[in-house]
Short mmCIF file of all heavy atoms in Angstrom, two decimals:
data_model
loop_
_atom_site.label_atom_id
_atom_site.label_comp_id
_atom_site.label_asym_id
_atom_site.label_seq_id
_atom_site.Cartn_x
_atom_site.Cartn_y
_atom_site.Cartn_z
N GLY A 1 119.81 118.82 76.69
CA GLY A 1 120.18 119.33 78.01
C GLY A 1 120.20 118.21 79.02
O GLY A 1 120.17 117.02 78.73
N ALA A 2 120.25 118.61 80.33
CA ALA A 2 120.33 117.61 81.40
C ALA A 2 119.85 118.25 82.70
O ALA A 2 119.85 119.49 82.85
CB ALA A 2 121.76 117.11 81.56
N GLY A 3 119.46 117.39 83.64
CA GLY A 3 119.06 117.87 84.97
C GLY A 3 117.90 118.82 84.89
O GLY A 3 116.95 118.62 84.14
N ILE A 4 117.96 119.91 85.68
CA ILE A 4 116.87 120.88 85.71
C ILE A 4 116.81 121.67 84.41
O ILE A 4 115.83 122.38 84.17
CB ILE A 4 116.96 121.84 86.90
CG1 ILE A 4 118.23 122.68 86.84
CG2 ILE A 4 116.91 121.06 88.23
CD1 ILE A 4 118.26 123.79 87.88
N HIS A 5 117.84 121.58 83.58
CA HIS A 5 117.90 122.31 82.33
C HIS A 5 117.52 121.44 81.14
O HIS A 5 117.77 121.78 79.98
CB HIS A 5 119.28 122.90 82.10
CG HIS A 5 119.65 123.95 83.13
ND1 HIS A 5 119.04 125.19 83.15
CD2 HIS A 5 120.48 123.89 84.19
CE1 HIS A 5 119.54 125.89 84.18
NE2 HIS A 5 120.41 125.13 84.82
N VAL A 6 116.94 120.26 81.38
CA VAL A 6 116.53 119.40 80.27
C VAL A 6 115.40 120.08 79.49
O VAL A 6 114.54 120.75 80.08
CB VAL A 6 116.11 118.00 80.77
CG1 VAL A 6 114.80 118.05 81.52
CG2 VAL A 6 116.04 117.02 79.62
N CYS A 7 115.40 119.92 78.18
CA CYS A 7 114.39 120.59 77.34
C CYS A 7 113.00 120.00 77.60
O CYS A 7 112.80 118.79 77.44
CB CYS A 7 114.77 120.37 75.87
SG CYS A 7 113.53 120.97 74.71
N PRO A 8 112.03 120.83 78.00
CA PRO A 8 110.68 120.31 78.23
C PRO A 8 110.00 119.82 76.94
O PRO A 8 109.04 119.07 76.98
CB PRO A 8 109.93 121.49 78.85
CG PRO A 8 110.66 122.69 78.38
CD PRO A 8 112.11 122.29 78.27
N GLY A 9 110.51 120.28 75.80
CA GLY A 9 109.94 119.86 74.52
C GLY A 9 110.59 118.62 73.92
O GLY A 9 110.25 118.22 72.82
N ALA A 10 111.51 117.97 74.68
CA ALA A 10 112.22 116.82 74.14
C ALA A 10 111.32 115.70 73.68
O ALA A 10 111.51 115.16 72.57
CB ALA A 10 113.25 116.29 75.18
N PRO A 11 110.28 115.30 74.44
CA PRO A 11 109.42 114.20 73.95
C PRO A 11 108.71 114.56 72.64
O PRO A 11 108.60 113.73 71.75
CB PRO A 11 108.41 114.03 75.09
CG PRO A 11 109.14 114.51 76.31
CD PRO A 11 109.96 115.66 75.82
N LEU A 12 108.27 115.81 72.51
CA LEU A 12 107.61 116.25 71.29
C LEU A 12 108.61 116.29 70.15
O LEU A 12 108.29 115.84 69.01
CB LEU A 12 106.99 117.62 71.46
CG LEU A 12 106.34 118.25 70.22
CD1 LEU A 12 105.21 117.39 69.68
CD2 LEU A 12 105.84 119.65 70.52
N ALA A 13 109.82 116.79 70.38
CA ALA A 13 110.82 116.86 69.33
C ALA A 13 111.18 115.44 68.83
O ALA A 13 111.28 115.21 67.62
CB ALA A 13 112.09 117.55 69.86
N ARG A 14 111.36 114.52 69.76
CA ARG A 14 111.70 113.14 69.37
C ARG A 14 110.56 112.52 68.56
O ARG A 14 110.80 111.81 67.60
CB ARG A 14 112.00 112.31 70.62
CG ARG A 14 113.38 112.63 71.24
CD ARG A 14 113.72 111.61 72.31
NE ARG A 14 115.12 111.71 72.68
CZ ARG A 14 115.57 112.21 73.85
NH1 ARG A 14 114.70 112.68 74.74
NH2 ARG A 14 116.87 112.25 74.10
N LEU A 15 109.32 112.78 68.98
CA LEU A 15 108.16 112.26 68.24
C LEU A 15 108.13 112.81 66.81
O LEU A 15 107.98 112.08 65.85
CB LEU A 15 106.86 112.62 69.00
CG LEU A 15 105.56 112.32 68.25
CD1 LEU A 15 105.36 110.84 68.07
CD2 LEU A 15 104.38 112.94 69.02
N GLU A 16 108.29 114.12 66.72
CA GLU A 16 108.24 114.77 65.38
C GLU A 16 109.33 114.24 64.46
O GLU A 16 109.07 113.88 63.29
CB GLU A 16 108.38 116.29 65.52
CG GLU A 16 107.16 116.94 66.17
CD GLU A 16 107.34 118.42 66.41
OE1 GLU A 16 108.50 118.87 66.54
OE2 GLU A 16 106.32 119.13 66.44
N LEU A 17 110.55 114.14 64.99
CA LEU A 17 111.68 113.67 64.17
C LEU A 17 111.51 112.23 63.76
O LEU A 17 111.80 111.84 62.64
CB LEU A 17 113.00 113.88 64.91
CG LEU A 17 113.40 115.34 65.11
CD1 LEU A 17 114.61 115.44 66.06
CD2 LEU A 17 113.71 116.02 63.79
N ARG A 18 111.01 111.40 64.69
CA ARG A 18 110.81 110.00 64.37
C ARG A 18 109.76 109.83 63.25
O ARG A 18 109.97 109.12 62.28
CB ARG A 18 110.38 109.21 65.59
CG ARG A 18 110.04 107.73 65.30
CD ARG A 18 109.61 106.99 66.54
NE ARG A 18 108.43 107.53 67.19
CZ ARG A 18 107.18 107.34 66.76
NH1 ARG A 18 106.93 106.64 65.64
NH2 ARG A 18 106.14 107.87 67.39
N VAL A 19 108.65 110.56 63.39
CA VAL A 19 107.57 110.45 62.41
C VAL A 19 108.02 110.96 61.04
O VAL A 19 107.76 110.35 60.02
CB VAL A 19 106.31 111.20 62.89
CG1 VAL A 19 105.26 111.30 61.79
CG2 VAL A 19 105.71 110.52 64.10
N VAL A 20 108.72 112.09 61.03
CA VAL A 20 109.21 112.65 59.75
C VAL A 20 110.11 111.63 59.04
O VAL A 20 109.96 111.36 57.86
CB VAL A 20 109.98 113.96 59.99
CG1 VAL A 20 110.76 114.36 58.72
CG2 VAL A 20 108.99 115.08 60.34
N MET A 21 111.07 111.07 59.78
CA MET A 21 112.02 110.14 59.16
C MET A 21 111.38 108.82 58.79
O MET A 21 111.71 108.22 57.78
CB MET A 21 113.22 109.94 60.09
CG MET A 21 114.05 111.17 60.35
SD MET A 21 114.46 112.12 58.83
CE MET A 21 115.35 110.89 57.88
N GLU A 22 110.43 108.35 59.62
CA GLU A 22 109.70 107.12 59.25
C GLU A 22 108.97 107.29 57.91
O GLU A 22 109.05 106.45 57.03
CB GLU A 22 108.68 106.78 60.34
CG GLU A 22 109.27 106.09 61.54
CD GLU A 22 108.21 105.78 62.59
OE1 GLU A 22 107.07 106.26 62.44
OE2 GLU A 22 108.53 105.08 63.56
N GLU A 23 108.28 108.42 57.79
CA GLU A 23 107.51 108.65 56.55
C GLU A 23 108.43 108.85 55.36
O GLU A 23 108.15 108.38 54.26
CB GLU A 23 106.57 109.86 56.73
CG GLU A 23 105.48 109.62 57.73
CD GLU A 23 104.66 108.39 57.40
OE1 GLU A 23 104.21 108.26 56.24
OE2 GLU A 23 104.50 107.53 58.28
N LEU A 24 109.55 109.55 55.57
CA LEU A 24 110.50 109.77 54.48
C LEU A 24 111.09 108.46 54.00
O LEU A 24 111.17 108.20 52.80
CB LEU A 24 111.61 110.70 54.94
CG LEU A 24 112.65 111.11 53.88
CD1 LEU A 24 112.00 111.79 52.71
CD2 LEU A 24 113.71 112.00 54.51
N LEU A 25 111.45 107.57 54.90
CA LEU A 25 112.03 106.29 54.53
C LEU A 25 111.00 105.31 53.96
O LEU A 25 111.28 104.56 53.04
CB LEU A 25 112.73 105.66 55.72
CG LEU A 25 113.98 106.44 56.23
CD1 LEU A 25 114.55 105.75 57.48
CD2 LEU A 25 115.04 106.56 55.16
N ARG A 26 109.76 105.36 54.50
CA ARG A 26 108.72 104.48 54.01
C ARG A 26 108.30 104.80 52.59
O ARG A 26 107.96 103.94 51.80
CB ARG A 26 107.49 104.56 54.92
CG ARG A 26 107.58 103.73 56.19
CD ARG A 26 106.28 103.83 56.96
NE ARG A 26 106.29 103.02 58.16
CZ ARG A 26 105.90 103.43 59.36
NH1 ARG A 26 105.46 104.67 59.51
NH2 ARG A 26 105.94 102.63 60.40
N GLN A 27 108.29 106.08 52.25
CA GLN A 27 107.71 106.52 50.99
C GLN A 27 108.75 106.76 49.90
O GLN A 27 108.44 107.30 48.85
CB GLN A 27 106.88 107.77 51.21
CG GLN A 27 105.72 107.52 52.17
CD GLN A 27 104.77 108.68 52.29
OE1 GLN A 27 104.45 109.33 51.29
NE2 GLN A 27 104.33 108.98 53.49
N THR A 28 110.01 106.37 50.19
CA THR A 28 111.06 106.53 49.18
C THR A 28 111.87 105.25 49.08
O THR A 28 111.79 104.37 49.95
CB THR A 28 112.01 107.67 49.54
OG1 THR A 28 112.68 107.38 50.78
CG2 THR A 28 111.28 108.99 49.72
#
């Protein structure tokens, strides 16, 4: 989203996705 409609969960979502993909790539 953007402006006043930006997702308040964006920082958490980015953290979760980064950690998931880091672990997937590190362990395979």
Side-chain angles (χ1 to χ4, degrees):
I4 63 171
H5 295 288
V6 71
C7 174
L12 176 60
R14 286 190 167 108
L15 172 66
E16 291 176 334
L17 292 171
R18 176 180 60 78
V19 170
V20 166
M21 296 313 301
E22 280 179 350
E23 292 306 309
L24 183 59
L25 294 177
R26 279 184 178 133
Q27 298 186 42
T28 62

